[in-house]
């Protein structure tokens, strides 16, 4: 398993009985996690700053116990991010991706062109910019793209070249192919289900392999990396590896690895699985 154990401003303190307790900077939040199905001898701590209560009808709501700001910042290495509790339990940041951000940064050189698809609030965009790349950041959510712009400025990277695009990722890739644009690195973090800005439906299992093959056509002859993430339950890392091996390796060679990605849980020695990731490199 790839474990993101490189944080100072974030820590997964506890996880059990379908919930996790996390420290984000100086604030502690408790929220659901479907993977933490085990039980511990001691109950999870109850003294937290915020608690996300699940609803039997789906979704839920936050309850706050201290005078928390609407948002605050956390940092990893020299990158900084705004976090805030959102309506559907999330905070705008997936801390397990820190290991991939370091991989992207280490495989990026000045002048590379990187395409970040389903780019959310821009963690991978920051990593590629910090590595010297020019980045095209694409997401269907106008609000997430605005959040990513703020993260770029917060990290002191506003002087780097980055294009922010609010669009359906598949349609954008098709247009880039017609325009003849090519990229040295591609990152994609597709949702299990979603809608594009025009109401386009996305279901991962139905779309992902064809979309990987389509996107692989955008790679240069000597690309630097291809990173694929998935949070879809039941989609094993080997499946991700197989798809990239079939779509990318025949075109440009190289090698692919895939594994679970996770976060260490306090001092228990346990690791919380947080999806799967696959990486291609030359």
């Amino acid at each position: 398993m790839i474990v993101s154990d490189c944080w100072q401003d974030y820590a997964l303190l506890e996880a059990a009985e379908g919930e996790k307790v996390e420290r984000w900077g100086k604030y502690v939040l408790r929220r659901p996690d479907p993977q933490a199905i085990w039980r511990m001898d001691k109950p999870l701590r109850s003294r937290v700053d915020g608690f996300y209560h699940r609803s039997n009808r789906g979704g839920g709501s936050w309850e706050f116990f201290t005078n928390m700001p609407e948002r605050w910042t956390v940092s990893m290495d020299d990158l900084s991010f705004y976090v805030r509790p959102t309506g559907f339990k999330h905070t705008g940041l997936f801390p397990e991706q820190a290991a991939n951000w370091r991989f992207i940064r280490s495989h990026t050189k000045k002048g590379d062109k990187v395409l970040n698809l389903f780019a959310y609030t821009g963690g991978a965009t920051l990593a590629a910019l910090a590595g010297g790349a020019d980045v095209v950041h694409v997401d269907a959510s106008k609000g997430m793209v605005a959040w990513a712009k703020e993260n770029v400025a917060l990290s002191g990277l506003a002087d780097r070249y980055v294009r922010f695009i609010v669009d359906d990722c598949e349609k954008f890739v098709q247009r880039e192919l017609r325009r003849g644009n090519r990229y040295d690195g591609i990152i994609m973090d597709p949702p299990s289900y979603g809608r594009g800005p025009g109401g386009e439906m996305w279901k991962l299992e139905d779309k992902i392999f064809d979309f990987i093959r389509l996107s692989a056509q955008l790679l240069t002859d000597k690309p630097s990396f291809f990173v694929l993430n998935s949070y879809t339950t039941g989609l094993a890392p080997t499946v991700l590896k197989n798809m990239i091996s079939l779509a990318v390796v025949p075109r440009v060679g190289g090698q692919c690895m895939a594994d679970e990605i996770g976060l260490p849980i306090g001092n228990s020695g346990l690791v919380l699985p947080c999806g799967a990731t696959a990486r291609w490199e030359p």
Side-chain angles (χ1 to χ4, degrees):
M1 176 181 281
I2 300 168
V3 179
S4 289
D5 55 2
C6 50
W7 284 94
Q8 291 79 44
D9 282 358
Y10 169 86
L12 176 56
L13 304 175
E14 300 171 280
E17 299 185 21
E19 294 185 327
K20 58 188 175 185
V21 179
E22 305 161 288
R23 177 180 61 79
W24 298 86
K26 66 178 183 179
Y27 299 104
V28 176
L29 303 178
R30 180 169 170 172
R31 56 188 179 135
D33 192 290
Q35 294 294 326
I37 63 173
W38 52 86
R39 289 188 295 274
M40 305 293 286
D41 293 335
K42 295 181 179 180
L44 296 181
R45 69 187 68 190
S46 58
R47 296 192 63 180
V48 297
D49 297 290
F51 193 141
Y52 187 87
H53 296 276
R54 287 171 291 190
S55 168
N56 293 331
R57 298 186 299 271
S61 60
W62 286 95
E63 180 181 8
F64 299 108
F65 305 103
T66 60
N67 187 22
M68 293 174 57
E70 181 181 348
R71 68 177 184 176
W72 62 98
T73 63
V74 298
S75 297
M76 199 252 353
D77 296 335
D78 55 349
L79 306 178
S80 296
F81 314 87
Y82 286 110
V83 297
R84 64 176 176 86
T86 66
F88 187 64
K89 82 177 182 179
H90 297 302
T91 62
L93 194 65
F94 291 94
E96 64 274 8
Q97 290 299 325
N100 273 334
W101 300 337
R102 283 188 166 180
F103 171 84
I104 290 164
R105 187 168 183 172
S106 69
H107 283 69
T108 303
K109 61 184 183 297
K110 187 175 181 179
D112 276 355
K113 290 182 62 179
V114 170
L115 176 61
N116 189 9
L117 298 166
F118 311 96
Y120 198 49
T121 61
T125 292
L126 300 187
L129 289 173
D134 297 339
V135 180
V136 176
H137 173 114
V138 186
D139 196 277
S141 169
K142 185 177 180 180
M144 292 301 106
V145 170
W147 195 334
K149 290 180 181 179
E150 293 181 314
N151 283 340
V152 168
L154 183 66
S155 294
L157 297 168
D159 61 332
R160 308 294 175 88
Y161 179 86
V162 54
R163 286 179 61 206
F164 292 100
I165 309 292
V166 179
D167 202 353
D168 174 78
C169 289
E170 185 174 7
K171 291 182 177 179
F172 179 80
V173 167
Q174 291 169 343
R175 288 199 302 272
E176 287 293 88
L177 285 169
R178 290 195 295 268
R179 289 188 284 247
N181 290 330
R182 296 295 181 266
Y183 293 89
D184 302 289
I186 294 177
I187 307 152
M188 59 172 67
D189 199 345
S192 298
Y193 299 93
R195 288 184 180 272
E200 302 88 350
M201 282 296 298
W202 170 275
K203 183 179 179 183
L204 187 73
E205 294 91 335
D206 295 341
K207 294 271 193 174
I208 189 60
F209 181 55
D210 288 340
F211 186 62
I212 292 170
R213 288 199 299 185
L214 186 72
S215 301
Q217 297 177 49
L218 288 175
L219 290 169
T220 60
D221 292 337
K222 295 182 179 179
S224 300
F225 63 84
F226 193 114
V227 175
L228 169 66
N229 294 303
S230 171
Y231 290 93
T232 301
T233 303
L235 198 61
T238 300
V239 176
L240 305 187
K241 179 180 177 181
N242 289 346
M243 290 189 293
I244 292 183
S245 296
L246 290 169
V248 177
V249 174
R251 288 195 66 246
V252 293
Q255 57 189 353
C256 181
M257 64 79 63
D259 207 338
E260 288 184 285
I261 193 166
L263 290 163
I265 306 172
N267 295 321
S268 69
L270 302 178
V271 177
L272 179 68
C274 303
T277 192
R279 303 168 176 173
W280 175 91
E281 59 185 317

